[in-house]
Amino acid sequence: MTMTTATHHEYGTVPTREELVERAAALVPLLRKHAAETEERRSLSEASLAAITEAGLARLCVPVEYGGYGHGIGTLTAVAAELGRGCASSAWVVGVSGQIAVSPKSPAINAALYGAGPDAWLCGSLNPTAGQVEPVDGGVRLTGRWGYASGCAHSRWAMVLATGTATDGGRTVHGLTVPMSDLTIDEDWWVAGMGGSGSHTIVASDVFVPAERVMTPTGERTAQQTILSGIGGSVMMAGPLLGAAHGALDLVHETLAAKKKVVYSRYPSAPEAVVTQLWLAEATQHLDTARLHTRRATDAIDAAVASGTAMSLVERARARMDVTTAVENCRQAMARLLDIHGASGFAQANPLQRAWRDLETASRHGFLNTQLAREAYGRALIGIDEPIATNI
């Protein structure tokens, strides 16, 4: 949901979206300062994690009845877009944890997640073939390996999918909530970009999970489950990528303000060069386009969730198309910003190259497959009811 007026609960005032975005914006200098450390340690720096938590961003999407702020995908994406200006990896971790928090869960699971307080960082994996469950008295035994568990190093809980055997011999899919203390981490996250997201592999070896922390789908998903557990995951990812591109724009403006020269030209400075003006206009327009498409998608999701109504297949496919359009425009904006800055932008000491690597890496996530989004939207527009993309 979108909150434009403050509400209250036992943990104090629930801030509005605008207030939360302002908090995130205030953290940008600190996150940028620690971005290299975050990348090097392959997990959020202690300073960054502490500041983000203190700002209340861990509880952004936690239900109000459990001490959270109860915001939806729109606020989460907007906050991640601000944080990403300083560090895309940090923004990604906030986004992933928030996405898990906002997804519908049973009261028993919410009570377990937030029993020790609302500032519970969460990680997880949506790959059901990565784990297996065997029924036992009072619950199941879980074994598996789930990759890409962003933020697992500092998470309190993990939510994973695993398969089991139904009574008729078929396969079932279960959602399990597991404390990180019951899991181990295989530190295998060695990547060119988004290194600080700490998306390592989490491992369960014959872990007991009580029945109250096991979700086994029965019948069709509710409208809210379909939206938030499906297209909501793709939409959230637009936030950190918008942030990375916006952060690059910030850096280029700083360079231009310092009257950077255009080598091998007679221009006194880069701002006076027509090509700089054209490229800057193009990059800024790409970012404006990305923001507009992202806002349309998040507004549609928040409105549907708030009203309890379902989004049609066309609407869900359009939201995914909006996200991939935003991602493509972020890439195009980044290309022009690098053109403006020149080869020095690729120096390891220059934060511009980190923003570029983060964007190029994260935008290849399977949820952001641009061609699959086009096909899904086209099929929906034609009237083919079976979506080609499984997270729509």
Side-chain angles (χ1 to χ4, degrees), residues 69-391:
Y69 294 156
H71 281 270
I73 291 294
T75 301
L76 177 62
T77 304
V79 165
E82 280 301 310
L83 296 176
R85 291 171 54 204
C87 175
S89 286
S90 299
W92 186 271
V93 169
V94 171
V96 168
S97 185
Q99 170 63 24
I100 298 172
V102 81
S103 297
K105 292 175 286 295
S106 69
I109 290 176
N110 277 327
L113 292 176
Y114 309 116
D119 293 324
W121 291 105
L122 312 174
C123 68
S125 171
L126 295 177
N127 181 5
T129 64
Q132 300 79 39
V133 297
E134 294 293 338
V136 296
D137 289 343
V140 299
R141 307 295 299 189
L142 173 67
T143 298
R145 293 175 56 87
W146 296 267
Y148 310 107
S150 302
C152 59
H154 64 263
S155 290
R156 187 185 299 171
W157 292 87
M159 301 194 72
V160 298
L161 297 182
T163 57
T165 303
T167 54
D168 62 1
R171 304 302 288 172
T172 58
V173 177
H174 308 268
L176 303 104
T177 302
V178 188
M180 283 301 298
S181 58
D182 285 350
L183 305 173
T184 58
I185 298 175
D186 183 359
E187 296 191 7
D188 55 1
W189 185 241
W190 299 101
V191 288
M194 297 300 290
S197 69
S199 304
H200 301 291
T201 295
I202 52 178
V203 182
S205 300
D206 195 32
V207 172
F208 174 72
V209 183
E212 62 268 24
R213 288 198 267 110
V214 180
M215 295 184 295
T216 303
T218 55
E220 293 187 4
R221 294 189 298 176
T222 66
Q224 190 178 34
Q225 288 172 329
T226 298
I227 295 168
L228 293 176
S229 299
I231 185 59
S234 293
V235 173
M236 176 282 297
M237 292 178 183
L241 305 188
L242 273 168
H246 193 174
L249 178 63
D250 293 340
L251 293 168
V252 167
H253 272 296
E254 291 172 12
T255 299
L256 295 178
K259 303 297 183 181
K260 172 183 170 68
K261 302 295 183 182
V262 179
V263 295
Y264 311 119
S265 82
R266 292 187 173 86
Y267 283 111
S269 68
E272 298 176 70
V274 173
V275 68
T276 299
Q277 298 160 11
L278 296 177
W279 280 343
L280 186 61
E282 186 179 343
T284 303
Q285 183 72 352
H286 280 308
L287 278 177
D288 287 343
T289 299
R291 279 190 285 265
L292 288 169
H293 277 282
T294 300
R295 186 60 185 258
R296 182 170 73 165
T298 58
D299 282 352
I301 289 173
D302 282 341
V305 171
S307 64
T309 58
M311 293 175 70
S312 69
L313 177 58
V314 169
E315 290 171 330
R316 299 197 309 271
R318 185 183 73 176
R320 176 155 179 175
M321 187 72 195
D322 278 338
V323 174
T324 56
T325 298
V327 169
E328 288 184 320
N329 275 274
C330 286
R331 287 183 189 168
Q332 291 169 309
M334 183 68 77
R336 281 293 173 248
L337 293 170
L338 287 165
D339 287 339
I340 294 171
H341 199 286
S344 62
F346 295 94
Q348 290 186 355
N350 194 318
L352 188 60
Q353 52 80 28
R354 183 181 305 106
W356 168 66
R357 288 186 289 105
D358 288 344
L359 174 59
E360 289 296 318
T361 299
S363 64
R364 265 71 181 188
H365 192 285
F367 274 18
L368 302 175
N369 186 312
T370 55
Q371 297 307 320
L372 192 60
R374 287 189 177 93
E375 184 179 359
Y377 192 30
R379 285 166 64 98
L381 290 171
I382 288 171
I384 301 175
D385 292 334
E386 184 179 9
I388 196 69
T390 56
N391 68 316

Side-chain angles (χ1 to χ4, degrees), residues 30-105:
L30 181 144
L31 296 182
R32 186 194 290 187
K33 177 181 177 181
H34 293 279
E37 178 190 352
T38 289
E39 181 174 51
E40 183 177 354
R41 74 200 301 261
R42 294 178 296 146
S43 182
L44 270 64
S45 74
E46 292 184 5
S48 296
L49 180 62
I52 291 170
T53 305
E54 185 178 354
L57 303 186
R59 64 179 70 175
L60 187 68
C61 298
V62 173
V64 174
E65 56 268 35
Y66 295 97
Y69 294 156
H71 281 270
I73 291 294
T75 301
L76 177 62
T77 304
V79 165
E82 280 301 310
L83 296 176
R85 291 171 54 204
C87 175
S89 286
S90 299
W92 186 271
V93 169
V94 171
V96 168
S97 185
Q99 170 63 24
I100 298 172
V102 81
S103 297
K105 292 175 286 295

